[in-house]
Amino acid sequence: QVQLVESGGGLVQAGGSLKLSCACAASGRSFSDYGMGWFRQAPGKEREFVADINWSGGRTYYADSVKGRFTISRDNAKNTVYLQMNSLKPEDTAVYYCAAKPVASSYRYWGQGTQVTVSL
């Protein structure tokens, strides 16, 4: 079982920055056994992929909409994955979720989400 708790969301003006954190508690397995990802869901829209990172942090992948502005990272010693968001735009407003997936599997565990609101 994996529990994920996001934090760091809030209200920020366009052009500003926020850093999201996701703390992971995994029973029976190590945090480094999981690939981690960030997703977001805006009102009235489907949840969409934002970024992901492999178990070691050596490989990352981003949605085109955030490439060059967002950075995903992880600290396996702290069981935490991060999303640094810079140059935020109003269209980045959404609930942001972190998710975990075992190796060679789909995303199986989800956090409760944290709200990010970007104002003009």
Side-chain angles (χ1 to χ4, degrees):
Q1 186 67 21
V2 175
Q3 291 184 322
L4 302 171
V5 179
E6 303 96 335
S7 61
L11 174 64
V12 64
Q13 287 189 326
S17 298
L18 281 175
K19 186 174 184 177
L20 306 183
S21 300
C22 174
C24 175
S27 59
R29 300 186 72 169
S30 170
F31 177 62
S32 59
D33 288 335
Y34 297 93
M36 300 296 297
W38 285 96
F39 294 75
R40 67 187 181 186
Q41 187 168 19
K45 295 187 177 181
E46 294 187 353
R47 185 163 55 190
E48 65 175 1
F49 169 81
V50 174
D52 70 9
I53 189 167
N54 74 335
W55 68 275
S56 68
R59 183 198 64 77
T60 57
Y61 188 73
Y62 298 91
D64 287 344
S65 59
V66 307
K67 202 173 295 182
R69 299 188 298 121
F70 291 10
T71 302
I72 188 172
S73 61
R74 66 189 295 162
D75 185 338
N76 286 346
K78 294 183 178 179
N79 293 353
T80 302
V81 62
Y82 305 97
L83 186 68
Q84 177 68 48
M85 305 185 294
N86 299 329
S87 302
L88 283 161
K89 305 175 182 180
E91 51 263 44
D92 294 318
T93 294
V95 177
Y96 283 71
Y97 299 89
C98 73
K101 60 175 180 176
V103 174
S105 178
S106 58
Y107 284 100
R108 187 178 300 175
Y109 305 103
W110 297 84
Q112 83 289 350
T114 185
Q115 176 71 46
V116 172
T117 303
V118 184
S119 64
L120 287 170

